[in-house]
Amino acid sequence: MTRIGKPMLFCPPHPPIALGQRETISIGRSRSCDLRLPGGDASRRHAEISGGPDGFTIADLGSTNGTYVNDQRVRKHTLKPGDRIEIGNSLITFCEVGGGLENVGLDRDRERTLQVERPVGGQVFEGDLSEIPPFAVLQILEMGSNSGLLSVEANQSTGRLWLAHGAPIHAETKRCSGFDAALEIMNSTGGHFTFRPHEDAPERTIEASVTELLLEASRMLDEGVL
């Protein structure tokens, strides 16, 4: 896989945040934070992520309930691709996105939100699900308005999900198809993904956005359904 080394934060349903190599992102409940989190479990200014010559570091800012990375409480931690940051009830994933996304950039006029100026084109986008989870892949493809086939070979299952202009339109796994299959793919862990543009779906079985899928998958996880 060709790496571009585009560091990003994913905290659905928020849009992805692209990180500049030398900038600092504040996280917490305050309206002044770059990534504002809901709920009372996060402090007003809970933590911050800073870029430097050795990569990105997250530091807890003396929060009440602590900052966790991969289930371990940290005061300061150097982030690796795929690290899961837990702050209160919010889960933030740090990724480095590569492989065909040359036009992913940072638009400072829109609150550091990921922008993709045009579709990936004829290039294949692929990677490791332990570093870029399925929900992050789908958010990238949605914001890039990409059409094609996302194939997932995960530890527990395999699946295929077709998109048209960034919206999921059909999904298949060994157990099911349609919306339920998309949810299963969304919650895959480990393994590999590949997105191939311009591959048409055999049928349309989904009438939902990526954001709606994310919210439903999150709800089901909270209720222990998935």
Side-chain angles (χ1 to χ4, degrees):
M1 177 180 65
T2 302
R3 284 192 178 277
I4 299 171
K6 179 71 68 173
M8 307 191 71
L9 297 177
F10 293 86
C11 183
H14 293 284
I17 297 176
L19 300 174
Q21 291 295 333
R22 299 284 180 172
E23 76 173 320
T24 297
I25 297 291
S26 56
I27 305 170
R29 285 190 295 111
S30 172
R31 292 180 180 273
S32 66
C33 287
D34 300 302
L35 178 53
R36 187 183 178 199
L37 302 180
D41 291 333
S43 298
R44 288 183 59 79
R45 289 185 63 83
H46 195 108
E48 64 182 19
I49 294 175
S50 302
D54 298 323
F56 286 86
T57 299
I58 185 166
D60 186 84
L61 301 178
S63 67
T64 301
N65 295 317
T67 299
Y68 293 78
V69 178
N70 301 329
D71 300 322
Q72 299 294 317
R73 187 165 182 167
V74 300
R75 299 181 71 177
K76 195 170 186 179
H77 175 83
T78 299
L79 293 169
K80 306 183 300 299
D83 274 354
R84 295 173 293 105
I85 302 162
E86 296 174 64
I87 294 178
N89 293 324
S90 297
L91 177 63
I92 306 163
T93 305
F94 174 79
C95 301
E96 287 185 0
V97 177
L101 293 183
E102 290 86 347
N103 296 302
V104 176
L106 191 64
D107 185 343
R108 295 188 180 277
D109 293 332
R110 296 189 64 183
E111 299 180 355
R112 299 188 177 92
T113 298
L114 166 69
Q115 301 295 310
V116 183
E117 295 178 0
R118 61 178 184 270
V120 172
Q123 297 189 15
V124 172
F125 172 33
E126 59 181 339
D128 190 328
L129 290 171
S130 66
E131 296 184 358
I132 311 177
F135 69 81
V137 177
L138 288 174
Q139 280 194 299
I140 292 168
L141 296 173
E142 179 188 42
M143 298 193 76
S145 192
N146 291 295
S147 300
L149 170 61
L150 174 66
S151 299
V152 170
E153 297 182 8
N155 291 340
Q156 71 274 38
S157 65
T158 60
R160 297 185 296 171
L161 192 155
W162 284 264
L163 299 101
H165 307 294
I169 59 172
H170 179 61
E172 299 174 353
T173 65
K174 291 181 179 179
R175 297 191 296 179
C176 55
S177 64
F179 191 83
D180 289 343
L183 289 174
E184 187 176 331
I185 292 169
M186 185 85 74
N187 287 284
S188 300
T189 58
H192 189 83
F193 72 85
T194 304
F195 176 75
R196 298 185 183 280
H198 312 310
E199 295 206 14
D200 295 332
E203 58 181 319
R204 182 166 196 137
T205 58
I206 301 173
E207 298 288 346
S209 67
V210 168
T211 299
E212 288 171 319
L213 275 176
L214 287 167
L215 291 172
E216 179 63 12
S218 177
R219 181 192 68 78
M220 295 177 73
L221 280 174
D222 289 342
E223 295 178 358
V225 178
L226 291 175

